[in-house]
Amino acid sequence: MAATIKDIARVAGVSTATVSRVINNLGGYNEETEKKVMAVSKELGYRKNENARSLVQKSTNTIGVIMPDVTTAFYGDIIKGIEDTSYEYGYSVILTHAGSHGSRIHESMNLMGERRVDGLIIVSVELHESAIQSLTSLGIPYILISTKTDREDTPYMKVDDYSAAYTAVKYLIEHNHRTIGMAGANPHDPIAGEPRMNGYKQALQDYGIKVDLNLIKSGGFNFESGKSAMQAFIEDEAAVTAVFCASDEVALGIISTCYENEIHVPNDISVVGYDNSKVSHMSVPPLTTVAQPLYDMGREGCFEVIAAIQNKSKIESKVIPHELVVRKSVKTVV
Amino acid sequence: MAATIKDIARVAGVSTATVSRVINNLGGYNEETEKKVMAVSKELGYRKNENARSLVQKSTNTIGVIMPDVTTAFYGDIIKGIEDTSYEYGYSVILTHAGSHGSRIHESMNLMGERRVDGLIIVSVELHESAIQSLTSLGIPYILISTKTDREDTPYMKVDDYSAAYTAVKYLIEHNHRTIGMAGANPHDPIAGEPRMNGYKQALQDYGIKVDLNLIKSGGFNFESGKSAMQAFIEDEAAVTAVFCASDEVALGIISTCYENEIHVPNDISVVGYDNSKVSHMSVPPLTTVAQPLYDMGREGCFEVIAAIQNKSKIESKVIPHELVVRKSVKTVV
DNA sequence: TTGTAAGCGTTATCAA
DNA sequence: TTGATAACGCTTACAA
């Protein structure tokens, strides 16, 4: 059985209050007492019980993180940012998946509530009205990273997908592409799908290019979706000279199918990805892509939550600037 | 302030004991009482306090996970396996990084101790004697995944890197390769480096091929390490027809540098990776690689820990079978 | 500088 | 079927 402060108190011949003071460095005891307590504490192999502390202080020093069911390097970076920051400020991270398509979201939030996390970070999960209510009912600071809701009062941190997509497509147009396809966005996804698609369309329109719906191959944000999109372009005999992809994985799918069909990237077709995930510089050719500062978003989002916990301040939503990382998957049309 | 069972008891006109019984479905109360308690509970928006429960029951229903500082898809899969399983059995996951090269390992374990996690999973972190002592001093079930120690009594779950490497190199030899390089293993890493290197050497020897130390380019398990290894092969004018890589990322580095130098994979040079991570089927060409069932290792490792918590049973070390996943990065030499 | 004792939100024992 | 009450390990007035 692990030693408690009572044990220390008994052995050291002091009260539990004094032990507590010494252990928490609160001062107000003489050196001798301190030494004795520390010695006994070490001797008994004492280890503080955070849960007991949490109970009386009504704060657990934990941050809950809820994320989707899927594993991509994408989440890894965000989580690392979160964990680094929590660690810095003395918080622990409790992690849970929200299930595919957020099926477990209510259970997840309930769990976080029962664990009495001091703050909550929700990554990339689409929240509906009832989920938002569970969320606010927890009565703790929270932030959404890389997702948002319709409601003004739900703080989030994400890049503006519409304008990021616009930037990417504009870049292709400026490199003289006129027949530009789009792959891998789900138009029914109001967070990451629809806005990217709209940015794509608007860029074309602003440059006087007609939007051809046949050039839009919607789907998931994954590799397979990219493969089948490219397959479709080939079968359609669509004369696309470039494809804007809703994620890097989709872009790799495009490139993979091109390779199988002896279509060369970027000589025969240019490709732009989205995320600047780790794979983007590992691809052949290295991928030009839209960068979201994932690690920093994790760090900053977590920081905001901790600040809100400690100062009881309100968290403001924040749009993170995006950036186009130019590598080698786009060629100028001559 | 959140409602407690005391509040419910007062409003419902029963004792806290009865409230506790109802809430935990323990039976032994009549229907009316149950209904009333449930109603009041809902009305007050009661949410159980897990920490208080943990305190009296001396178990937190949490599993601690310690992993390295790096983010790769590799860990994502393992963690997903762990989280899925814990969730299934009603456990929560507390996550922490061990810092680069395990610098934070002691703090991490101490933190897990203070949080009184019921079990601990350590992923891919190399443990030295003092760390093992901290670990055992926690007095809880634990398992190492994808790492091991010298000590017999530290349970682990990992593939046999030596024989997996042997399999991969044997495969290359059987495809008539005779000048086979190795890239990206750290020979001073007794867990994942040394055994893979030894497997490589042994396979060559068993087939009567002399080991040429110049063909071994050691380094980290990352992309850059692969790039510089290939660069070195080129500068050495080494006549390698195949390269066995210590990780998929290293393999992608090899492929990337080949691409830049117009060396074609697999026509000019064959490449075998290690991990079967998500990127391996996204690469161009798709990568032939050694598979470790990461998700399953996470699942099973977590299951073992939970079983040990519940039955106080001992966890046995387990060597997981590897598999060579054949894709398109290896060609037979004619 | 130190100790006493109440209390955090539960569960669990015992008695009614 | 229910209720008092003592724990769990800790912090924190308040008193000495």
Side-chain angles (χ1 to χ4, degrees):
Chain A
M1 212 71 271
T4 72
I5 56 169
K6 278 188 194 168
D7 299 321
I8 299 179
R10 189 168 25 79
V11 177
V14 297
S15 72
T16 59
T18 297
V19 175
S20 177
R21 289 183 189 109
V22 172
I23 281 171
N24 294 296
N25 256 305
L26 296 182
Y29 37 77
N30 67 37
E31 215 171 308
E32 258 177 82
T33 324
E34 176 175 3
K35 271 186 188 154
K36 194 191 293 173
V37 169
M38 292 306 274
V40 175
S41 162
K42 182 150 289 177
E43 182 192 329
L44 299 185
Y46 172 75
R47 197 173 333 244
K48 189 170 183 163
N49 185 327
E50 264 293 302
N51 296 306
R53 199 230 74 229
S54 296
L55 192 56
V56 20
Q57 294 191 334
K58 291 172 176 305
S59 94
T60 55
N61 295 340
T62 54
I63 304 269
V65 175
I66 299 180
M67 51 176 227
D69 204 19
V70 277
T71 38
T72 68
F74 185 94
Y75 302 108
D77 283 338
I78 295 182
I79 290 176
K80 180 155 149 41
I82 293 173
E83 210 277 329
D84 280 357
T85 303
S86 345
Y87 186 82
E88 236 167 70
Y89 289 89
Y91 285 78
S92 293
V93 168
I94 297 186
L95 185 73
T96 189
H97 288 282
S100 42
H101 302 286
S103 57
R104 268 171 20 184
I105 185 73
H106 281 99
E107 282 169 275
S108 298
M109 292 208 280
N110 195 42
L111 188 150
M112 293 300 181
E114 295 186 349
R115 298 261 174 224
R116 295 291 193 274
V117 294
D118 293 339
L120 196 55
I121 300 177
I122 296 181
V123 182
S124 284
V125 181
E126 195 185 329
L127 295 184
H128 296 106
E129 190 57 29
S130 70
I132 299 175
Q133 282 182 1
S134 309
L135 181 53
T136 52
S137 81
L138 291 179
I140 54 173
Y142 59 88
I143 193 170
L144 315 188
I145 294 186
S146 194
T147 180
K148 58 176 288 195
T149 70
D150 308 329
R151 294 173 48 151
E152 288 291 323
D153 55 347
T154 313
Y156 62 85
M157 171 168 294
K158 76 188 293 291
V159 308
D160 179 346
D161 289 59
Y162 170 85
S163 77
Y166 190 99
T167 303
V169 176
K170 179 168 168 242
Y171 177 82
L172 287 170
I173 297 171
E174 286 170 350
H175 285 72
N176 294 336
H177 291 277
R178 290 298 173 269
T179 313
I180 301 173
M182 166 145 195
N186 175 358
H188 304 303
D189 175 348
I191 310 299
E194 197 186 319
R196 293 182 198 177
M197 205 165 275
N198 289 340
Y200 159 82
K201 290 179 184 166
Q202 193 61 48
L204 293 181
Q205 282 171 7
D206 287 358
Y207 284 81
I209 302 170
K210 216 169 136 192
V211 173
D212 179 352
L213 294 182
N214 292 316
L215 298 186
I216 302 182
K217 306 296 180 193
S218 54
F221 295 90
N222 51 35
F223 181 73
E224 282 67 30
S225 164
K227 293 212 68 144
S228 54
M230 192 61 218
Q231 204 60 52
F233 285 135
I234 293 173
E235 281 161 17
D236 294 356
E237 295 183 3
V240 289
T241 63
V243 181
F244 167 57
C245 303
S247 80
D248 287 343
E249 292 198 11
V250 170
L252 291 192
I254 296 280
I255 293 175
S256 173
T257 296
C258 283
Y259 170 77
E260 288 167 5
N261 290 275
E262 301 194 357
I263 299 169
H264 293 96
V265 178
N267 285 339
D268 300 332
I269 194 168
S270 292
V271 176
V272 174
Y274 198 110
D275 284 343
N276 192 33
S277 58
K278 215 171 173 185
V279 290
S280 55
H281 72 275
M282 299 198 259
S283 82
V284 173
L287 195 63
T288 292
T289 187
V290 173
Q292 312 190 58
L294 300 173
Y295 177 79
D296 289 334
M297 286 163 72
R299 273 196 80 84
E300 201 172 338
C302 185
F303 176 78
E304 290 291 340
V305 168
I306 292 175
I309 293 168
Q310 298 184 340
N311 317 327
K312 309 199 177 266
S313 57
K314 225 186 113 194
I315 302 181
E316 302 292 338
S317 290
K318 191 164 180 179
V319 174
I320 304 295
H322 63 267
E323 193 190 343
L324 190 72
V325 177
V326 175
R327 296 205 182 86
K328 306 198 166 166
S329 60
V330 174
K331 205 189 127 190
T332 307
V333 173
V334 286
Chain B
M1 214 68 269
T4 72
I5 55 170
K6 279 189 193 168
D7 300 320
I8 299 179
R10 189 167 25 78
V11 176
V14 296
S15 73
T16 59
T18 298
V19 175
S20 177
R21 288 183 190 109
V22 172
I23 282 172
N24 293 296
N25 257 305
L26 295 182
Y29 39 77
N30 66 37
E31 217 172 304
E32 257 176 84
T33 325
E34 175 175 3
K35 273 187 185 153
K36 193 191 293 175
V37 169
M38 291 308 272
V40 174
S41 163
K42 183 150 287 176
E43 182 192 329
L44 299 185
Y46 171 75
R47 199 177 325 249
K48 187 170 186 161
N49 186 327
E50 265 292 303
N51 296 307
R53 200 230 74 230
S54 296
L55 190 56
V56 21
Q57 293 192 334
K58 291 173 176 305
S59 92
T60 55
N61 295 340
T62 54
I63 305 268
V65 176
I66 299 180
M67 50 176 226
D69 203 19
V70 277
T71 39
T72 69
F74 185 93
Y75 302 108
D77 283 339
I78 295 182
I79 290 176
K80 181 155 150 38
I82 293 174
E83 211 277 327
D84 280 357
T85 303
S86 352
Y87 186 82
E88 236 167 70
Y89 289 88
Y91 286 76
S92 293
V93 167
I94 298 186
L95 185 73
T96 189
H97 289 282
S100 41
H101 302 287
S103 56
R104 268 170 22 184
I105 185 72
H106 281 98
E107 281 170 275
S108 298
M109 292 208 282
N110 195 41
L111 187 151
M112 293 300 180
E114 295 186 347
R115 297 260 174 225
R116 295 292 193 271
V117 294
D118 293 339
L120 196 55
I121 300 177
I122 297 181
V123 182
S124 285
V125 180
E126 195 186 330
L127 297 184
H128 296 106
E129 191 56 30
S130 70
I132 298 175
Q133 281 183 2
S134 308
L135 181 53
T136 52
S137 81
L138 291 178
I140 55 173
Y142 59 88
I143 194 171
L144 316 187
I145 294 186
S146 194
T147 179
K148 58 176 287 194
T149 68
D150 308 329
R151 294 172 49 150
E152 288 292 322
D153 55 346
T154 312
Y156 61 86
M157 172 167 294
K158 77 188 292 292
V159 309
D160 179 345
D161 289 59
Y162 170 85
S163 77
Y166 189 99
T167 303
V169 175
K170 180 169 167 243
Y171 177 82
L172 287 170
I173 296 171
E174 286 169 351
H175 285 72
N176 294 336
H177 291 276
R178 290 296 173 271
T179 313
I180 302 172
M182 166 148 195
N186 176 357
H188 304 303
D189 174 349
I191 310 298
E194 196 186 319
R196 294 183 197 175
M197 205 164 275
N198 289 340
Y200 159 83
K201 289 179 185 166
Q202 192 62 47
L204 293 182
Q205 282 171 5
D206 286 358
Y207 284 81
I209 302 170
K210 215 170 136 189
V211 173
D212 178 352
L213 293 182
N214 292 317
L215 298 185
I216 302 182
K217 306 296 180 192
S218 54
F221 294 90
N222 52 36
F223 182 71
E224 281 67 31
S225 162
K227 293 212 67 142
S228 54
M230 191 62 217
Q231 204 60 53
F233 284 134
I234 294 172
E235 281 162 17
D236 293 358
E237 296 183 2
V240 288
T241 63
V243 181
F244 167 56
C245 304
S247 80
D248 287 342
E249 292 198 12
V250 170
L252 291 194
I254 296 279
I255 293 175
S256 173
T257 296
C258 282
Y259 170 77
E260 288 167 4
N261 291 274
E262 302 193 357
I263 300 170
H264 294 96
V265 178
N267 285 339
D268 300 333
I269 195 167
S270 293
V271 177
V272 173
Y274 198 111
D275 283 344
N276 192 34
S277 59
K278 215 172 173 182
V279 291
S280 56
H281 72 276
M282 300 197 258
S283 82
V284 173
L287 196 63
T288 292
T289 186
V290 173
Q292 311 190 58
L294 300 174
Y295 177 79
D296 290 334
M297 285 163 73
R299 272 196 81 83
E300 200 173 337
C302 185
F303 176 79
E304 290 291 340
V305 168
I306 292 175
I309 292 168
Q310 299 185 340
N311 316 327
K312 309 200 177 265
S313 57
K314 225 186 114 194
I315 302 180
E316 301 293 337
S317 292
K318 191 164 179 179
V319 174
I320 305 294
H322 63 267
E323 193 189 343
L324 190 72
V325 177
V326 175
R327 297 205 182 85
K328 306 197 167 168
S329 60
V330 173
K331 205 188 126 188
T332 306
V333 173
V334 287

